[in-house]
Amino acid sequence: MKKKNYSIIIVSLLLLVSCTEKMERSEEGRMDYSALLRIHKTADYSLVEIINPWDTTKLLQKLVLTTDTEKPELPTEGIKVKVPIDRALIGTTIHCSLLKDLSCLNAIAAILDREYLCVPEVHEAIDRGEVTDCGTAMAPIIERIISVHPSAIFLSPYEKLELGKLADLNIPVVLCADYMESSPLARAEWIRFYGMLFGVEERADSIFSQTVKEYNRLKALAEKATSSPKVLSDHAYGQTWYQPSAESTVGRMYADAKAENPFKDIPGHYGSIPLPAEEVFLKARDCDVWLLKDDKPISLDALASENKLYSLFAAYKNGNVWTCNTRETNFYEDTPFHPDRLLADMIRIFHPELKIGGENRYFFRRQ
């Protein structure tokens, strides 16, 4: 009898430890894919921790999302953000497009960097006087921001960011570090956070769930390919040519599309790798495919006249150059939160034999 009781106690302890571990994991607030977001929900508020991408041992920001910023139950640390946000100052075309996706365009009260904004509805709202142009992210017009009374300001951070006069406005600043994630689905998962901010969490979760499902479906199809074409990215800027590292979202996407990145073995980089054009040529001159983006139309003749190295790449010689005109497509607006759409383009280009159907959205072959 004692032996039986002892066994029951052991089983009970194991169950207790198991439940405790599950509770600890859930309380950590870790996301399914994102490495930079942690979200802890309580009955009175949601605590959002954004990991510093440049030093992951530290926090970049801590936000307390609540319907009432005066609640006594709120933690003392963290920036209080009243949700849902109804008057936002948005600093990027990417996040304007995201709010369109979430059916929250009416929450945009002001913008920065209109020159780079590619959402027609927002331009029209500016022209009608419904949205205020507050200058650029590098030189915001403080007087206009004050007159708008935004409930939050959304900015893309960079290392050693200084908010300057914005820090004195007593307006919550949300640092949109999603672009520093190291996988396509990790970045896309930030839509869940933005959905919480704008009161459309259910819609955001649904969009993300569909994105994950389609991305993984396409990835599984790409695995069936029998080849892995070598891919060259973009073109040189002066003497420097940026290539995706293995840890970047583009590098991860190449792998998921079953393509070879000639620069995947260069260590210590978590984004684009700046390289001399000559080194890029030596490593990728036999590339099977060349994908490049620009904000204007690109022809093969124009490429050849731009740089004498370009016409020496195998992809150029074989007519396998694919370009994306970022002014005429929604590349920057779509792909951060819908990476499945870009993955589909890549698989059609890299593995036409798989015949996945549909038509390309962003990259088109140059003649």
Side-chain angles (χ1 to χ4, degrees):
M1 186 69 180
K2 287 183 179 179
K3 188 173 182 180
K4 186 177 180 181
N5 288 341
Y6 181 74
S7 299
I8 292 173
I9 291 170
I10 293 295
V11 170
S12 298
L13 286 171
L14 288 173
L15 287 172
L16 178 61
V17 170
S18 175
C19 290
T20 302
E21 286 178 347
K22 288 181 180 178
M23 186 180 295
E24 286 175 351
R25 281 198 294 271
S26 65
E27 286 176 353
E28 284 178 349
R30 297 193 183 280
M31 310 293 282
D32 293 332
Y33 296 90
S34 170
L36 300 179
L37 272 180
R38 288 200 297 256
I39 299 177
H40 315 254
K41 293 184 179 181
T42 75
D44 298 300
Y45 62 89
S46 293
L47 180 65
V48 179
E49 295 175 325
I50 301 176
I51 311 301
N52 187 331
W54 298 279
D55 182 355
T56 55
T57 65
K58 299 177 181 178
L59 289 182
L60 180 68
Q61 190 172 49
K62 184 182 289 187
L63 304 170
V64 180
L65 314 187
T66 177
T67 57
D68 181 0
T69 58
E70 302 300 323
K71 285 182 180 180
E73 301 87 354
L74 300 182
T76 55
E77 291 186 4
I79 300 170
K80 310 299 187 295
V81 183
K82 185 177 181 180
V83 294
I85 292 170
D86 60 356
R87 291 186 61 77
L89 190 162
I90 305 295
T92 73
T93 185
I94 292 168
H95 297 96
C96 283
S97 181
L98 172 66
L99 291 183
K100 178 181 177 180
D101 213 14
L102 292 172
S103 300
C104 293
L105 279 178
N106 61 342
I108 301 177
I111 57 93
L112 298 172
D113 291 317
R114 181 179 184 178
E115 178 185 356
Y116 303 106
L117 182 62
C118 299
V119 181
E121 294 88 341
V122 180
H123 279 286
E124 293 166 6
I126 295 169
D127 293 339
R128 292 194 301 267
E130 298 168 359
V131 171
T132 302
D133 180 353
C134 291
T136 69
M138 299 304 293
I141 302 172
I142 300 300
E143 294 77 11
R144 289 187 188 175
I145 295 175
I146 293 172
S147 69
V148 169
H149 301 295
S151 45
I153 298 171
F154 289 75
L155 296 177
S156 289
Y158 52 87
E159 194 170 9
K160 299 179 181 177
L161 171 69
E162 295 290 341
L163 293 177
K165 292 182 179 179
L166 289 178
D168 301 326
L169 296 181
N170 199 28
I171 300 171
V173 176
V174 179
L175 298 178
C176 306
D178 50 82
Y179 79 99
M180 290 297 293
E181 292 280 2
S182 61
S183 80
L185 290 180
R187 183 178 191 182
E189 192 170 21
W190 279 62
I191 193 174
R192 299 172 63 189
F193 166 49
Y194 296 124
M196 293 171 63
L197 287 168
F198 289 91
V200 287
E201 188 172 355
E202 187 174 332
R203 176 172 173 77
D205 287 347
S206 175
I207 292 172
F208 180 64
S209 177
Q210 295 269 346
T211 297
V212 170
K213 182 178 180 181
E214 180 63 5
Y215 191 97
N216 287 333
R217 183 187 75 83
L218 291 167
K219 180 181 175 182
L221 286 175
E223 281 296 322
K224 298 178 180 179
T226 56
S227 62
S228 296
K230 183 182 286 190
V231 186
L232 173 67
S233 300
D234 293 316
H235 51 107
Y237 294 91
Q239 299 301 312
T240 303
W241 199 334
Y242 289 90
Q243 293 296 315
S245 70
E247 293 85 3
S248 67
T249 54
V250 174
R252 295 287 181 91
M253 199 172 290
Y254 283 170
D256 291 342
K258 203 172 181 182
E260 180 184 347
N261 177 4
F263 308 93
K264 64 182 179 182
D265 296 326
I266 299 179
H269 291 272
Y270 297 93
S272 297
I273 310 168
L275 296 167
E278 292 76 12
E279 184 176 345
V280 172
F281 176 71
L282 291 174
K283 282 184 173 289
R285 59 186 171 186
D286 61 342
C287 62
D288 302 291
V289 181
W290 186 0
L291 301 183
L292 59 94
K293 304 183 298 296
D294 210 318
D295 61 358
K296 59 183 182 297
I298 306 171
S299 68
L300 293 182
D301 288 342
L303 281 174
S305 61
E306 182 181 322
N307 189 315
K308 63 182 181 181
L309 287 178
Y310 292 167
S311 61
L312 302 179
F313 284 96
Y316 184 98
K317 294 177 181 178
N318 297 329
N320 210 7
V321 178
W322 299 72
T323 68
C324 171
N325 185 334
T326 57
R327 288 283 185 182
E328 295 182 354
T329 67
N330 291 327
F331 180 88
Y332 290 120
E333 290 73 27
D334 283 354
T335 59
F337 300 103
H338 295 283
D340 53 308
R341 298 174 184 176
L342 179 55
L343 184 64
D345 264 26
M346 289 183 177
I347 294 172
R348 291 189 196 97
I349 294 168
F350 301 156
H351 307 292
E353 74 281 2
L354 293 179
K355 298 179 180 178
I356 67 168
E359 297 181 353
N360 279 14
R361 292 172 180 264
Y362 314 109
F363 285 94
F364 300 92
R365 196 170 202 158
R366 294 299 99 189
Q367 302 295 330

